[in-house]
Amino acid sequence: GNGAAVWSQFDGLRKNLWASRYTASTTAWSVPVLIEANNGGDADFPQLALDSAGNALVVWEQSDSTRRNIWANRYTATGQGWGAAQLLETDNVSSANAPHLALDVSGNGMVVWEQSDGTRKSIWSRRYDVASGQWEVASLIESSAEDANAPQIAADANGNFMAVWRGYDGVVHNRYNVWANRYVAGAGWGSASLISNNTTDPGATSDALVSRNADTPHIAMDAAGNALAVWAQADHIYANRYAVGAGWGAAQRIENDVNWTAASPRIAMAANGRAYAVWEQYADGVLGDTTPPFKNIMANRYVPGLGWQSATLIETNNTGHAETPQVAVDGAGNATVVWRQWDVTHYSVWSNRYFSASGPWDTAALIESDNSGHVFTPQVAVDATGNALAVWSQSDGTRRSVRTNHYIFGGAWGTALVLDSK
């Protein structure tokens, strides 16, 4: 039930990285602390993960005034606290960007990022070994001669990892496809595999759609190492499943809207293999209608042995766009989703939950009531028993602050609080 939050905060000259810890026993957040002291340039786009003992790892990209680099810092729950920020990559040819992070239950971590050589981007990784307390040597995990970007990574309970990214195909269809690679504990990375359909765009209805890119890949794993990847392509949402011992299957469309665009999928997976994908999708309408539809939040469930179920609308507020959904799953397979939603005057944070034992989706609920300004980038995490923490950035009309709210399983969301003190 303990948690943490990280954010990038402007001090008038540059962006710095701050963190706060949530202690379940006292239901209180700690005073924010600065976790990097490099004033060479902005530190932003942080990613955070916690292990089962409460240790945390944070990675981010930071400018040295010439290029962007990947940095990390670790929090030790046994009393040491935050350590010193550490540079993870030393390639100074060009910038490194878009780090993403996963931890296994023992605290071993894997970071992936995109790195440019001045001509194209490649996907690199670096593993943190908790036993030695050291970072291993960085590894190139794809060998394409074309551009690769937008990496994401997930971990299972045994120290294995799965990474996905977008890789450009400049030979066959001139588009980005989704690729994956698997790290096996004790053996290392395997070979990259194409997991999206590069023959024709899945779901394409005309020649005009053949060159559509695959976008925003996302990945999740269960405790046994099975994985599910989702992405957007040709205005639809697709998924592919990795089964231990069998490998990747075929790309599968998991939403059925024939009129309007679906985008920005996210996925979370329980230890038992139950998974939830969420995305934003324009409302059904009539082709050729000149009235722009609203974006809604949709979801689909994957049930082991049964496969994907039906896409479901999980919010019914049609006063404005609902967008940027995020999802987390607890140990019993219950899901918590958060997103931001327009109410005619500003964006607010909303949430909905799915209880795996009973279903269906609950009623969407507003989890903050401050009408002073817009909310941005909501995020959510849950513990093994279903308690949830949500964080977001919110404007008061002058500046943005970091806000949070706490959900107690079987109860309701509490009152939103301000986390940062500046």
Side-chain angles (χ1 to χ4, degrees):
N2 301 316
V6 295
W7 62 90
S8 178
Q9 187 154 352
F10 188 61
D11 65 5
L13 294 175
R14 64 188 62 83
K15 294 178 183 178
N16 301 301
L17 214 64
W18 291 78
S20 179
R21 294 265 309 169
Y22 177 83
T23 302
S25 60
T26 60
T27 66
W29 288 88
S30 69
V31 175
V33 296
L34 181 69
I35 65 171
E36 56 79 33
N38 182 348
N39 290 327
D42 287 340
D44 45 19
F45 307 112
Q47 298 286 315
L48 165 72
L50 274 72
D51 66 18
S52 57
N55 304 304
L57 198 60
V58 177
V59 296
W60 66 92
E61 63 177 71
Q62 186 156 6
S63 173
D64 62 9
S65 76
T66 301
R67 66 191 64 81
R68 292 217 157 218
N69 302 301
I70 307 301
W71 287 75
N73 200 344
R74 187 169 186 266
Y75 177 92
T76 304
T78 54
Q80 178 181 339
W82 289 101
Q86 181 176 353
L87 178 66
L88 289 191
E89 52 78 35
T90 57
D91 186 336
N92 290 328
V93 174
S94 193
S95 287
N97 304 93
H100 195 247
L101 168 70
L103 289 182
D104 67 20
V105 293
S106 299
N108 300 299
M110 188 74 75
V111 182
V112 290
W113 67 89
E114 59 185 51
Q115 187 151 1
S116 174
D117 61 8
T119 302
R120 57 175 289 274
K121 293 178 180 179
S122 301
I123 306 301
W124 286 75
S125 75
R126 195 166 181 184
R127 181 178 180 270
Y128 177 82
D129 180 68
V130 71
S132 66
Q134 300 295 317
W135 288 92
E136 297 175 354
V137 177
S139 300
L140 178 67
I141 67 172
E142 57 83 34
S143 56
S144 170
E146 302 283 0
D147 191 62
N149 58 38
Q152 298 280 302
I153 193 162
D156 68 12
N158 301 309
N160 306 307
F161 296 86
M162 186 74 78
V164 294
W165 64 89
R166 297 198 324 153
Y168 190 66
D169 170 13
V171 177
V172 180
H173 289 301
N174 295 317
R175 65 157 174 251
Y176 281 96
N177 301 303
V178 181
W179 289 76
N181 200 344
R182 184 170 182 253
Y183 177 93
V184 177
W189 288 100
S191 299
S193 301
L194 177 66
I195 66 171
S196 61
N197 186 340
N198 195 31
T199 304
T200 57
D201 269 344
T205 57
S206 72
D207 291 341
L209 294 180
V210 170
S211 63
R212 287 287 177 90
N213 292 325
D215 291 312
T216 58
H218 205 238
I219 184 76
M221 296 180 79
D222 65 17
N226 304 300
L228 279 166
V230 292
W231 64 91
Q233 189 169 12
D235 297 335
H236 297 298
I237 306 301
Y238 290 85
N240 200 341
R241 184 173 185 268
Y242 176 90
V244 174
W248 288 98
Q252 177 183 357
R253 181 173 162 184
I254 62 171
E255 55 78 38
N256 56 9
D257 192 298
V258 298
N259 293 329
W260 299 105
T261 300
S264 304
R266 291 292 183 269
I267 190 167
M269 202 168 184
N272 61 11
R274 183 182 291 267
Y276 299 80
V278 295
W279 63 89
E280 57 186 51
Q281 185 155 11
Y282 281 101
D284 273 328
V286 178
L287 287 176
D289 188 351
T290 59
T291 302
F294 293 123
K295 284 189 282 188
N296 294 317
I297 305 301
M298 304 289 293
N300 200 341
R301 293 185 302 124
Y302 179 88
V303 180
L306 298 176
W308 289 100
Q309 306 301 290
S310 299
T312 303
L313 177 69
I314 64 172
E315 55 79 33
T316 56
N317 184 345
N318 289 324
T319 57
H321 289 311
E323 56 192 23
T324 65
Q326 301 288 328
V327 59
V329 179
D330 66 23
N334 305 303
T336 302
V337 183
V338 296
W339 64 89
R340 72 174 199 151
Q341 187 152 358
W342 180 252
D343 67 3
V344 181
T345 60
H346 70 290
Y347 279 100
S348 301
V349 184
W350 287 71
S351 177
N352 202 344
R353 287 182 50 84
Y354 187 94
F355 296 95
S356 63
S358 57
W361 286 92
D362 204 348
T363 302
L366 178 68
I367 67 172
E368 58 81 30
S369 56
D370 186 337
N371 295 326
S372 60
H374 298 310
V375 301
F376 304 87
T377 60
Q379 300 285 319
V380 66
V382 298
D383 67 12
T385 58
N387 303 303
L389 288 171
V391 294
W392 62 90
S393 171
Q394 186 161 2
S395 172
D396 62 6
T398 303
R399 58 175 291 274
R400 293 188 195 180
S401 58
V402 178
R403 313 287 181 97
T404 182
N405 202 342
H406 183 210
Y407 173 86
I408 299 175
F409 187 79
W413 288 95
T415 301
L417 305 171
V418 177
L419 273 191
D420 69 288
S421 59
K422 292 185 178 295

